[in-house]
């Protein structure tokens, strides 16, 4: 084939194949030649996120560059971003600049982008200039206006329809669809999807919600902070997506299938919580054939810095450090807390994030103490603390004394 033009960036635009091999993908007045429809399913970029006080922007730039390399290597024809593009509704300027760079690089490669808002995003801000961006092949659905946005791409087998459903709440769906029968969250999403007329026999859903398979919830990774819950009206049954050949989901940070292979969470591309230490992150490559999904492949991602959990005496951990730039969570097994332990740890591992203790012979401490103590009454918390510090439980007299002190403190507040 005749080589295509080369842009000013690092990667050349793929060469155009010989005429007659495939049909062109239409975008505006341009024709972009494709062999088969392969798209990269991504989610939960959380651009601008900080983890334990550490700015992750350089790590995110590193992983986005790796994703561009995967697009080039595997001949990706579209990229799906299934929500939580930013970490906060008002992201820092540097995070916006990073997203601008990533979308520009994909546009230069003539790779369409299909994105929806997540619960961390500001739907209104994501919708800014979405009409202009669509002219460049960047399709963003920030707000729900009564019907999911539908984008049709073409490959050698004809049209492939992407239905973009942003993060929605039941109240929002009721507002735009007052005639629909909506009794819970599941039926609200069903109503939102029911208004779509299937324009193509091959349909892909892009959504950011908590999805379950029957009574089986997805496996959480530790860094999800959405207000959605499993096993309540705030979850959606995967059966709602039966009309789609693939459901590209966001919100859960661990890559996994939900019931069947074609309903899938991509997971976050980076570890965003210490509970995710050692977890292999990936991007999901999906190939759509004539009758639907032909192949789903997890492409492993290598972070700029790994996130590791080290356990042992402080002297042993700092004696012969390896991969010193990694993010470290250290659990010390020394019998008593040591002075300047974090300073000593960071002398060996400058990016040490957290330090806790688990003396030999004691029960393992929870990874997240906040979750462990949330909801416990004061008396139980004090009892646990006293037992841990003194090796015995409170006597009846001591329990009464603590209760009296608590009551007096409450009166003085």
């Amino acid at each position: 084939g005749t080589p295509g033009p080369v842009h000013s960036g690092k990667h050349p635009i793929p060469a155009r194949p010989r005429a007659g091999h495939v049909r062109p993908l239409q975008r505006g007045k341009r024709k972009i030649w494709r062999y088969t429809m392969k798209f990269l399913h991504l989610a939960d970029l959380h651009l601008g996120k900080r983890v334990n006080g550490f700015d992750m922007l350089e790590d995110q730039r590193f992983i986005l560059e790796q994703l561009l390399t995967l697009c080039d290597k595997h001949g990706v024809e579209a990229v799906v971003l299934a929500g939580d593009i930013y970490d906060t509704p008002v992201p820092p300027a540097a995070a916006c600049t990073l997203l601008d760079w990533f979308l520009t690089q994909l546009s230069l490669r003539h790779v369409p982008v299909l994105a929806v808002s997540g619960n961390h995003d500001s739907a209104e801000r994501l919708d800014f200039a979405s009409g202009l961006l669509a002219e460049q092949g960047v399709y963003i659905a920030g707000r729900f206006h009564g019907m999911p946005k539908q984008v049709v791409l073409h490959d050698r087998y004809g049209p492939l329809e992407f239905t973009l459903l942003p993060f929605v709440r039941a109240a929002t769906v009721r507002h735009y669809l007052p005639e629909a029968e909506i009794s819970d969250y599941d039926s609200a999403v069903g109503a939102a999807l029911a208004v779509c007329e299937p324009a193509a026999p091959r349909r892909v859903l892009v959504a950011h919600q908590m999805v379950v398979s029957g009574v089986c919830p997805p496996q959480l990774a530790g860094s999800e902070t959405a207000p959605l819950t499993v096993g309540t009206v705030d979850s959606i049954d995967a059966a709602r997506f039966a009309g789609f050949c693939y459901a590209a989901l966001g919100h859960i940070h661990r890559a996994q299938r939900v019931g069947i292979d074609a309903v899938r969470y991509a997971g976050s591309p980076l570890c965003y919580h210490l509970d995710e230490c050692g977890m292999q992150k990936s991007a999901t490559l999906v190939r759509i054939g004539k009758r639907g999904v032909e192949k789903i492949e997890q492409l492993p991602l290598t972070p700029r810095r790994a996130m590791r959990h080290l356990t042992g005496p402080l002297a042993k951990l700092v004696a012969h450090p390896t991969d010193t730039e990694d993010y470290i969570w250290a659990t010390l097994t020394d019998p008593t807390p040591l002075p300047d332990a974090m300073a000593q740890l960071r002398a060996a591992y400058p990016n040490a994030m957290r330090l806790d203790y688990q003396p030999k012979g004691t029960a393992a401490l929870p990874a997240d103490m906040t979750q462990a103590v949330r909801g416990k009454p004061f008396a139980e918390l004090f009892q646990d603390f006293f037992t841990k510090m003194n090796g015995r439980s409170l006597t009846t007299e001591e329990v009464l004394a603590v209760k009296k002190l608590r009551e007096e403190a409450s009166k003085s507040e």
Side-chain angles (χ1 to χ4, degrees):
T2 304
V6 178
H7 64 77
S8 58
K10 179 179 178 182
H11 304 278
I13 296 174
R16 176 184 176 186
R18 288 177 294 171
H21 276 211
V22 293
R23 295 178 181 177
L25 173 70
Q26 301 282 352
R27 172 146 43 83
K29 296 182 180 180
R30 292 178 292 170
K31 292 183 178 181
I32 304 167
W33 296 84
R34 304 296 185 200
Y35 285 103
T36 58
M37 178 54 70
K38 291 184 289 185
F39 66 86
L40 203 61
H41 172 196
L42 307 174
D44 299 282
L45 301 182
H46 285 274
L47 300 182
K49 188 173 182 64
R50 300 181 69 88
V51 178
N52 284 71
F54 284 76
D55 188 345
M56 302 296 289
L57 206 64
E58 290 185 8
D59 302 79
Q60 292 171 334
R61 169 78 183 222
F62 182 89
I63 214 70
L64 292 182
E65 290 175 345
Q66 197 170 140
L67 291 170
L68 291 173
T69 300
L70 291 178
C71 288
D72 296 333
K73 179 180 179 181
H74 294 275
V76 168
E77 285 104 28
V79 168
V80 166
L81 299 177
D84 279 357
I85 295 170
Y86 292 117
D87 189 55
T88 61
V90 185
C96 298
T97 301
L98 182 58
L99 179 63
D100 173 70
W101 168 82
F102 184 55
L103 296 180
T104 300
Q105 290 299 312
L106 291 171
S107 181
L108 289 172
R109 290 165 169 77
H110 303 313
V111 176
V113 177
L114 305 116
V116 301
S117 63
N119 57 290
H120 280 248
D121 297 310
S122 166
E124 293 77 11
R125 287 181 171 86
L126 274 185
D127 267 342
F128 176 75
S130 58
L132 292 174
L133 289 172
E135 293 297 319
Q136 303 301 317
V138 178
Y139 305 97
I140 299 177
R143 291 170 291 180
F144 177 77
H145 293 290
M147 177 180 290
K149 181 179 291 188
Q150 293 177 282
V151 179
V152 179
L153 305 180
H154 293 77
D155 63 8
R156 65 192 302 176
Y157 300 116
L160 177 62
E161 177 189 290
F162 288 84
T163 299
L164 309 184
L165 178 65
F167 174 74
V168 293
R169 301 181 187 277
T172 305
V173 181
R174 287 194 188 98
H175 173 76
Y176 285 103
L177 303 174
E179 302 300 321
E181 294 184 5
I182 299 173
S183 58
D184 54 18
Y185 207 94
D186 181 73
S187 60
V189 171
L193 294 176
V195 298
C196 296
E197 291 292 337
R202 299 179 301 155
R203 307 169 66 202
V204 174
L205 173 69
V206 184
H208 187 96
Q209 305 288 164
M210 175 69 78
V211 180
V212 301
S213 177
V215 296
C216 300
Q219 289 183 300
L220 303 185
S223 49
E224 297 90 351
T225 57
L228 303 182
T229 56
V230 177
T232 72
V233 295
D234 290 342
S235 61
I236 302 156
D237 197 302
R240 288 286 181 186
F241 309 145
F244 297 91
C245 65
Y246 184 82
L249 304 178
H251 171 60
I252 302 300
H253 290 189
R254 183 190 296 270
Q256 61 194 284
R257 65 200 288 272
V258 183
I260 60 174
D261 286 341
V263 179
R264 185 173 291 269
Y265 282 105
S268 60
L270 284 171
C271 292
Y272 287 135
H273 195 277
L274 292 173
D275 283 353
E276 300 172 36
C277 286
M279 186 179 296
Q280 174 63 64
K281 295 296 184 174
S282 62
T284 305
L285 181 65
V286 183
R287 181 184 298 233
I288 303 293
K290 186 176 182 178
R291 294 178 178 82
V293 175
E294 289 186 345
K295 186 177 181 181
I296 300 173
E297 186 178 357
Q298 299 300 122
L299 306 179
L301 297 172
T302 303
R304 176 169 172 255
R305 296 187 178 102
M307 191 173 287
R308 295 192 288 145
H309 185 194
L310 305 179
T311 302
L314 178 61
K316 183 177 179 180
L317 296 186
V318 301
H320 303 287
T322 59
D323 299 317
T324 56
E325 293 301 311
D326 288 350
Y327 294 119
I328 299 298
W329 168 24
T331 297
L332 303 186
T333 58
D334 299 276
T336 59
L338 303 174
D340 299 324
M342 180 57 88
Q344 294 183 57
L345 184 64
R346 283 185 173 163
Y349 295 99
N351 297 307
M353 284 186 163
R354 174 176 165 176
L355 183 150
D356 56 23
Y357 286 88
Q358 183 190 329
K360 289 183 178 180
T362 64
L365 295 176
D368 189 343
M369 290 300 295
T370 303
Q371 293 294 333
V373 303
R374 182 176 286 128
K376 280 190 174 184
F378 172 80
E380 186 177 348
L381 288 173
F382 189 88
Q383 175 79 266
D384 292 345
F385 174 76
F386 183 90
T387 302
K388 188 172 186 62
M389 297 302 295
N390 296 278
R392 67 173 180 85
S393 300
L394 289 166
T395 64
T396 303
E397 292 77 10
E398 289 169 337
V399 170
L400 294 174
V402 170
K403 181 180 179 181
K404 184 178 179 180
L405 288 172
R406 176 62 175 167
E407 291 173 349
E408 291 176 356
S410 298
K411 292 177 183 179
S412 62
E413 289 178 353

